[in-house]
Amino acid sequence: MIRVLLADDQALVRAGFRALLDAQPDIEVVAEAADGEEALRAVRERRPDVVLMDIRMPVLDGLAATRRITGDAGLDGVRVVMLTTFELDEYVFEAIRAGASGFLVKDTEPEELLRAVRAVVAGDALLSPGVTRRLIAEFAARSKEPAAVGALAALTEREREVMALVGIGLSNEEIARRLVVSPLTAKTHVSRTMVKLGARDRAQLVVLAYESGLVRPGWLG
């Protein structure tokens, strides 16, 4: 059973999400929160698998709450998915940098929401390649000048190549076609790269690809 916590200051939004999620045989909403502080308390008490976190909330916003969750070693198994009204919200890139596993717009299709919750628990990519490309195009140019990251020295040449392809928004299947390998082999390379770099998930790998200078804004080919 996938345990979900809903954090949104709009009761109607929470009610709609709860009705959809609780109707699934493999998903259970274990708590709700109307602001970031409530969300933190509920996460520590209930230890959900996934937090659907609104970016804009009173008392403590979703971005600050996410940083506290992802920065707490005791909550390492909790994955945060940011909820936003607009797909290219100005805080989305910072949310992923802070440790969020991805983001969803609030008016997403029900099937997409369910797929996203299941995907993030399974450790798969939550951000679709198309959304990742738009995210990168919009925000990567605003990020800091890339600085060398020593951890990349631990990667093989093929792992660096795979990381760069993840960074430009390719899925495992697209990486497999680009490198002429099987999707399983591509997934294995991605997983090993995340382990070596200590990346929580694929979204963090995208951020590291930019921050290390391995990928630069505009490399969307």
Side-chain angles (χ1 to χ4, degrees):
M1 186 68 71
I2 300 172
R3 294 160 50 83
V4 177
L5 185 150
L6 301 175
D8 194 293
D9 61 338
Q10 298 181 44
L12 192 59
V13 171
R14 298 198 307 273
F17 280 14
R18 176 183 277 275
L20 174 64
L21 295 169
D22 277 345
Q24 307 306 306
D26 59 333
I27 300 176
E28 174 189 14
V29 175
V30 297
E32 295 184 22
D35 61 59
E37 288 288 1
E38 278 187 30
L40 280 173
R41 289 194 296 270
V43 166
R44 288 166 179 154
E45 179 181 343
R46 305 306 301 272
R47 301 299 173 99
D49 299 303
V50 180
V51 180
L52 295 180
M53 179 89 74
D54 188 19
I55 287 183
R56 293 176 175 84
M57 289 188 293
V59 184
L60 184 71
D61 65 35
L63 191 58
T66 296
R67 285 198 184 97
R68 294 193 190 180
I69 291 170
T70 59
D72 187 335
L75 301 175
D76 187 56
V78 179
R79 294 291 178 263
V80 179
V81 177
M82 305 302 298
L83 299 174
T84 176
T85 304
F86 305 103
E87 192 170 79
L88 289 178
D89 188 290
E90 61 182 303
Y91 297 114
V92 167
F93 191 72
E94 286 303 317
I96 293 176
R97 189 195 297 276
S101 295
F103 73 99
L104 291 171
V105 289
K106 291 185 180 181
D107 63 354
T108 189
E109 293 295 324
E111 295 78 10
E112 179 66 14
L113 173 64
L114 297 174
R115 186 199 69 78
V117 169
R118 293 179 177 121
V120 74
V121 170
D124 294 333
L126 174 56
L127 301 178
S128 69
V131 170
T132 301
R133 292 188 187 103
R134 290 196 297 274
L135 176 70
I136 290 168
E138 179 71 17
F139 296 106
R142 304 181 188 180
S143 62
K144 299 176 182 177
E145 184 68 21
V149 174
L152 293 189
L155 302 182
T156 65
E157 185 175 344
R158 176 46 62 92
E159 287 166 349
R160 284 173 179 251
E161 189 175 10
V162 168
M163 181 177 176
L165 294 176
V166 171
I168 63 173
L170 299 193
S171 66
N172 288 343
E173 290 74 18
E174 290 172 321
I175 291 172
R177 288 196 295 271
R178 181 75 67 93
L179 300 180
V180 195
V181 298
S182 71
L184 179 58
T185 297
K187 183 176 182 180
T188 299
H189 283 311
V190 172
S191 297
R192 287 177 178 171
T193 302
M194 288 194 294
V195 169
K196 286 184 178 181
L197 297 180
R200 290 169 60 92
D201 49 39
R202 198 182 189 94
Q204 286 286 287
L205 202 58
V206 171
V207 173
L208 288 172
Y210 274 85
E211 291 186 332
S212 67
L214 188 63
V215 177
R216 292 179 182 273
W219 292 8
L220 304 180

